[in-house]
Amino acid sequence: MKERSKSSSASNLSLILDIEDFKGDFSFDALFGNLVNELLPSFQEEEADSADGHGIGGTDALPNGHIRGSSDATKFAQGLSAPLFPEVDALLSLFKDSFRELVDLRKQIDGRLYNLKKEVSTQDAKHRKTLMELEKGVDGLFDSFARLDSRISSVGQTAAKIGDHLQSADAQRETASQTIELIKYLMEFNSSPGDLMELSPLFSDDSRVAEAASIAQKLRSFAEEDIARGVPSVVGSASASRGLEVAVANLQEYCNELENRLLSRFDAASQRRELSTMSECAKILSQFNRGTSAMQHYVATRPMFIDVEVMNSDTRLVIGEQSSQASPSNVARGLSMLYKEITDVVRKEAATIMAVFPSPNDVMSILVQRVLEQRVTALLDKLLVKPSLVSPPPVEEGGLLLYLRMLAVAYEKTQELARDLRAVGCGDLDVEGLTESLFSAHKDEYPELEQASLRQLYQAKLEELRAESQKVSESSGTIGRSKGAAVASSHQQISVAVVTEFVRWNEEAISRCTLFSSQPATLAANVKAVFTCLLDQVSQYITDGLERARDSLTEASALRERFVIGTSVSRRVAAAAASAAEAAAAAGESSFRSFMVAIQRCGSSVAIVQQYFANSISRLLLPVDGAHAASCEEMATAMSSAEGAAYKGLQQCIETVMAEVERLLSAEQKPTDYRSPDDGMAPDHRPTTACTRVVAYLSRVLEAAFTALEGLNKQAFLTELGNRLHKGLLNHWQKFTFNPSGGLRLKRDITEYGEFVRSFNAPTVDEKFELLGILANVFIVAPESLSTLFEGTPSIRKDAQRFIQLREDYKSAKLASKLSSLWSS
């Protein structure tokens, strides 16, 4: 906006607004300030002063912007009479002119905008037209490019065909050239049989050996195929076939000579460790029978296969100087050391083979096969000498078990060697299968040898036990015949330690079965056979032990019967017989205890076998249908003989106990015990001496039964013994006559017996002794009360009738007639 002089009046202002004032960062406040700054300079100054001096010196600012002093009242009065805003008219005129100018500017701008829009529309139409023309041109250009690309493709295909034809023609030319060369060389070999002196320099130049070998192989292959087809040769001679046969013979001779020359060079380089020369020779030799001769030659010349000292060293390391001193632990240690040495040697050879041979896997296969078939087999043949089942080696020399342990150690260590060799590398060789074949002859008869070994160990153990028993019997002969026999019998007792040793043998055998048997069916069959050996051994051992214990019971019974005497003998004879009867009773009690110990150890032995079956055998049999059930049935069958011996022995034990009970009752029971005189003295309420002795004996002797027996066996034994005791007491009391005081004494004895048998935990026996207590009442009540005594228990009337006949007053009170009428009613 242009400047104006301040002297001009407001009405004559020529306000001109410039279009530039509205460009850029437009601010209305700035525009307004520029308009009024010329008219209000004093206002700006006063406003500035007012802003700087506000509130200073007691001045006050008036509403119109002027400043007054609080002490100048006169000036204040004058100010009220002057105009408040004298520039207002000029400002109004300025604003009107400015408004008019603004309207004019807007019109100018609208006009210019209209012209610009029109011009833009025109240019846009031209631009659209130009774009359409360009699009048409581009489409045409794309069509041209497509035609060009198609042409280029066609030319390229043609060029490729031409190239293929040229390549094929070149290959044919090269083949023809090589064929011409081969025919020329074939004609040289066709000259005369065995004549190799006129050959081209190629076949005698050591620097071109590889080329000569390749050509010789091609010629021999061509000639052999031609002869095999019977087609006339291209050589063109009348005797073509004969000529090719000559060529084949000469080529074979040359190839053999060349192969031998290369092998000699290979050996020389091998001794000097020149791997590059060895590799070159091996590569050339690979053209002869795929290099098999070179591979086999290299493996065969390894020191471990040709040095006899190596073989002897292997034997000394594993077996020792004398094979009889070898033990499985020493052999295992020696095999570990030897096989580690072999693995290290093979690993070193593998490094050389990888650097030399073009087909290292084939060479490694040959090397590992040679190691197993020659070095390992030679050692195993010396280590494992199969024993004869007809005349096995004695146990003192290790027996069959030593061979089986050696076999297991050798097999396990050789399997580890096979795994180590597989890790080093053995090509396509089935090293595990080859290792198995080394032991096939031994594994074929393994099950029979294992069972024969267990039988041999069992027989040796029995002989050892018999020898110990004989030795003890002889050494104890000085302490008395009966006591010595008892000591010897104790040494023939069943031993849980011996049965545990049987199980340990079997467990070791099962571990070998697992080692040698890879198939579940084979393993199950071998395990079943070996476990059957254990069942037979344990069954025979415990059955023999029970039978020996029964023999003691039988001898004690015979001893008792020997000293049974009649009634009419002298006092001296009776005393001697009583002393002998005491000795027989002691022998019977000793044999009873021995049999109970045998029963207890028998049960422990069977439990050991059952636990062993559950923990170690059953899981090996489960994969095969029916194997587990069959073994369980065999176990039950094997133990049946022992069960039979145990049952007979327990019956003999009851007979032994009852015989001693009867002896004590006969010796200690007095007629006056149950018919005491009526002397006015108080009755004796203590048990009789016979009762006390019998209960003490039973308590003492049955301690062994309570310890040895358990479960249903214990219950059945005690129930049978209780029934026999009840029956024996009834028969014993039939020999006596009872008065009322004797009846009370009898009832006291019955109570004592009843309290003892209550420890049997046999309800039927307890009931029988309770009924005995009721029966004893027939001796206590008055005759007239007998009829009411059994009203609640009619089942014991028969026994009651027998007891009533034992009353002292049975005849005097005429109880027979009274009871007959009572029983009939």
Side-chain angles (χ1 to χ4, degrees), residues 312-320 330 334-335 337-338 341:
N312 296 333
S313 175
D314 293 348
T315 304
R316 288 194 300 270
L317 178 61
V318 177
I319 303 177
N330 293 335
L335 284 175
M337 297 172 61
L338 174 63
E341 176 187 339

Side-chain angles (χ1 to χ4, degrees), residues 22 30 42 65 81 101 276-277 347 376 532 572 709 760 776:
F22 298 94
S42 60
S81 61
E101 292 275 342
S276 59
T277 304
R347 186 177 288 108
V376 175
T532 300
R572 185 175 60 84
L709 300 175
F760 292 3

Side-chain angles (χ1 to χ4, degrees), residues 285-467:
L285 286 168
S286 65
Q287 301 182 44
F288 297 96
N289 196 20
R290 295 184 298 179
T292 302
S293 59
M295 300 176 191
Q296 293 177 345
H297 180 77
Y298 174 79
V299 172
T301 56
R302 297 305 89 204
M304 61 177 166
F305 300 131
I306 58 178
D307 191 350
V308 178
E309 182 57 30
V310 173
M311 303 298 178
N312 296 333
S313 175
D314 293 348
T315 304
R316 288 194 300 270
L317 178 61
V318 177
I319 303 177
E321 296 296 337
Q322 296 180 356
S323 60
S324 60
Q325 298 177 351
S327 65
S329 59
N330 293 335
V331 169
R333 185 164 48 253
L335 284 175
S336 296
M337 297 172 61
L338 174 63
Y339 286 167
K340 183 179 184 302
E341 176 187 339
I342 291 176
T343 303
D344 293 340
V345 171
V346 172
R347 186 177 288 108
K348 292 178 181 178
E349 292 292 345
T352 302
I353 290 170
M354 294 294 292
V356 170
F357 289 93
S359 301
N361 288 337
D362 295 339
V363 186
M364 289 300 298
S365 177
I366 297 173
L367 175 63
V368 172
Q369 183 176 359
R370 187 72 174 267
V371 166
L372 293 175
E373 290 181 347
Q374 179 176 332
R375 191 170 180 183
V376 175
T377 300
L379 177 63
L380 293 178
D381 290 342
K382 295 179 181 179
L383 177 63
L384 302 176
V385 179
K386 188 185 299 184
S388 171
L389 289 174
V390 178
S391 57
V395 177
E396 293 76 12
E397 298 178 5
L400 296 172
L401 181 61
L402 178 61
Y403 163 76
L404 291 172
R405 286 176 174 174
M406 291 291 193
L407 177 62
V409 167
Y411 182 81
E412 187 173 9
K413 294 300 180 181
T414 308
Q415 289 286 349
E416 293 177 4
L417 172 64
R419 289 192 290 270
D420 293 340
L421 294 177
R422 168 66 68 186
V424 173
C426 56
D428 297 331
L429 178 67
D430 182 11
V431 63
E432 289 81 7
L434 180 58
T435 305
E436 285 290 330
S437 68
L438 300 181
F439 295 90
S440 59
H442 298 277
K443 291 173 66 176
D444 289 342
E445 297 183 12
Y446 162 72
E448 292 78 11
L449 287 168
E450 193 71 79
Q451 295 173 65
S453 172
L454 291 173
R455 288 191 292 269
Q456 185 184 44
L457 291 172
Y458 178 72
Q459 293 300 327
K461 189 65 179 179
L462 291 185
E463 293 175 3
E464 177 187 346
L465 294 175
R466 280 194 291 268

Side-chain angles (χ1 to χ4, degrees), residues 63 120 187 243 311 360 384 430 500 530 565 581 584 593 606 609 711 741 796:
V120 166
M187 291 176 66
M311 303 298 178
L384 302 176
D430 182 11
T500 303
V530 169
I565 59 174
R593 294 180 184 276
V606 172
V609 173
S741 60
I796 61 173

